[in-house]
Amino acid sequence: MRIGVPAETAAGETRVAATPETVKKLVAQGRTVCVQSGAGVAASAVDDAYAAAGAEIVDAAGAFGADLVLKVQPPSAEELTLMKSGATLVGMLNPFDAEGLQRLAQAGLTAFALEAAPRTTRAQSMDVLSSQANVAGYKAVMLAANQYQRLFPMLMTAAGTIKAARVVVLGVGVAGLQAIATAKRLGAVIEASDVRPSVKEQVESLGARFIDVPYETDEEREAAEGVGGYARPMPQSWLDRQKVEVAKRVAQADVVISTALIPGRPAPVLITEDMVKSMKPGSVIVDLAAGRGPGGTDGNCPLTEAGSVVQKHGVHIVGLTNLPALVAADSSSLYARNVLDFLKLVLPSDATAVQVPMEDDIVAACLMTQAGKVVRS
Ligand code: NAD
């Protein structure tokens, strides 16, 4: 049983799906792990470290030609030609990309998309959305602090007093909570908005203020409960009232970090052009929904340009799309542990081949393609 760890080739991708730490554990189970030369370099894991962990250092064909291939991003068309029909692929494979999944099915792969794991307690240790969103939330604040030409904390100095930065966080899932915690550690004053009522307590426990938009109808209350922990599109009546409250805060904000997403749908527009115009010169928006907005290249703000940092109406808008890749070493180490935990379900230590126990809800949720067919999209 050979496990392959190729180098990622997607633009801007610096992460790797296995680290020397996780390779060592797989090797201890008697697996042969084939790591492509240089696969971990951008994530601070050099070939020698993998070799010391017991890996074979191979070329791309050697890594992609394994029985089980561990990836971060979906393989490119060219990489798919290096994979064996009947092999297993584990990675972040975009469960909502029907065409991409079709290509994996046609290549004869048993493919598991880890983003599709349920948000349950048992799945927490293999929850790649959480592990990577956590890093993204932290890095969003770092990027904002870097763009912002003032300080975050209040400072009383002999040369005068500096006011604390006002930070608004829109969307308080995993990334938003980490953004709040990080901005708080830097001394900012923070307000946050989300559609889900359960978030209020979490926001307040981190020392931030929740932007309350009370629900006025049963339809609003029901939509706000979401499904499976995720948000659902809210009725327009609630969104209109949220917009009024958010607009007031955005106009006073120095930094806005937006992370609002609805699975399988375009990200909601929360920061309109008028709101951007109302912001002070030199303020910063970091739009973590960049590339997922209604226009495809926008995000929670229509002025966001995915992949770029732009200045609009005097406001810096950061639209970088892969923030975890900017923290490659820690993102990879968390991701690799997520992958290792998932493997326990499909490759128990006594198994000689990958198994697909469909009675396991996590395995069933993550399975995307099998025997030439897309089984779930
Ligand atoms: P996400 O990335 O899908 O969305 C980010 C946030 O945007 C969410 O909090 C969502 O409610 C919010 N949002 C959507 N539309 C909005 C709007 N119009 N205005 C403001 N906010 C809006 O979320 P996520 O980080 O993946 O987390 C989703 C849920 O899963 C959360 O409830 C989280 O606590 C839960 N979760 C549970 C577990 C677990 O139990 N194992 C693990 C991770 C996450």
Side-chain angles (χ1 to χ4, degrees):
M1 165 99 224
R2 293 173 79 81
I3 301 177
V5 183
E8 297 294 322
T9 55
E13 188 52 80
T14 55
R15 291 168 292 178
V16 61
T19 55
E21 178 203 344
T22 62
V23 165
K24 196 172 177 182
K25 292 192 172 141
L26 290 168
V27 170
Q29 289 171 16
R31 314 293 178 200
T32 303
V33 184
C34 308
V35 177
Q36 184 178 342
S37 178
V41 165
S44 314
V46 294
D47 288 355
D48 282 353
Y50 284 107
E56 285 178 19
I57 306 300
V58 299
D59 61 6
F64 278 106
D67 307 297
L68 165 62
V69 176
L70 309 180
K71 285 273 291 145
V72 176
Q73 301 270 353
S76 66
E78 196 184 324
E79 289 165 350
L80 273 181
T81 64
L82 299 175
M83 295 186 69
K84 292 194 295 196
S85 179
T88 301
L89 172 66
V90 174
M92 290 193 283
L93 307 177
N94 296 341
F96 294 108
D97 175 9
E99 281 175 27
L101 295 183
Q102 198 55 50
R103 280 194 293 275
L104 301 180
Q106 275 161 8
L109 302 176
T110 299
F112 295 102
L114 297 182
E115 310 99 299
R119 310 309 278 275
T120 55
T121 305
R122 193 171 74 93
Q124 252 172 350
S125 62
M126 52 199 93
D127 184 341
V128 294
L129 291 182
S130 289
S131 73
Q132 303 304 294
N134 207 351
V135 176
Y138 164 88
K139 192 67 183 180
V141 176
M142 295 296 111
L143 291 174
N146 203 31
Q147 284 292 331
Y148 186 48
Q149 296 304 310
R150 297 173 189 274
L151 301 170
F152 266 46
M154 185 191 81
L155 285 188
M156 294 172 81
T157 79
T161 301
I162 303 277
K163 279 203 296 188
R166 296 180 75 98
V167 173
V168 172
V169 176
L170 302 174
V172 194
V174 178
L177 280 175
Q178 184 55 254
I180 294 174
T182 305
K184 187 77 189 168
R185 286 196 285 266
L186 288 181
V189 174
I190 306 148
E191 290 187 276
S193 170
D194 200 290
V195 298
R196 295 177 297 113
S198 55
V199 166
K200 181 176 193 283
E201 205 185 304
Q202 297 168 359
V203 167
E204 289 173 351
S205 74
L206 289 172
R209 224 171 295 139
F210 188 65
I211 303 172
D212 241 325
V213 182
Y215 309 106
E216 292 184 353
T217 63
D218 286 346
E219 189 199 1
E220 289 180 4
R221 266 182 285 276
E222 202 181 304
E225 288 305 328
V227 56
Y230 290 109
R232 286 197 307 184
M234 287 297 284
Q236 195 56 45
S237 52
W238 187 89
L239 289 173
D240 289 344
R241 298 200 305 282
Q242 181 201 32
K243 190 173 160 189
V244 171
E245 293 306 317
V246 165
K248 283 187 224 161
R249 278 33 176 237
V250 167
Q252 293 167 1
D254 300 298
V255 169
V256 178
I257 307 234
S258 73
T259 78
L261 292 174
I262 300 168
R265 288 177 179 261
V269 175
L270 299 178
I271 316 161
T272 62
E273 180 160 11
D274 280 343
M275 288 189 207
V276 176
K277 283 183 186 163
S278 77
M279 294 178 76
K280 290 171 271 186
S283 333
V284 182
I285 297 171
V286 179
D287 191 343
L288 287 190
R292 299 172 72 170
T297 57
D298 54 353
N300 293 138
C301 177
L303 304 185
T304 298
E305 292 178 17
S308 303
V309 181
V310 294
Q311 237 199 70
K312 299 279 171 84
H313 307 299
V315 177
H316 304 277
I317 306 179
V318 179
L320 303 183
T321 49
N322 188 352
L323 269 52
L326 302 178
V327 194
D330 275 336
S331 300
S332 299
S333 101
L334 297 171
Y335 181 75
R337 282 187 219 142
N338 292 148
V339 168
L340 191 68
D341 257 65
F342 178 76
L343 291 186
K344 288 180 189 156
L345 306 182
V346 293
L347 188 63
S349 50
D350 54 350
T352 51
V354 170
Q355 303 171 353
V356 186
M358 289 300 276
E359 65 283 5
D360 186 308
D361 65 326
I362 301 173
V363 173
C366 292
L367 182 68
M368 296 287 130
T369 68
Q370 193 180 28
K373 291 201 172 63
V374 175
V375 295
R376 185 180 169 276
S377 61

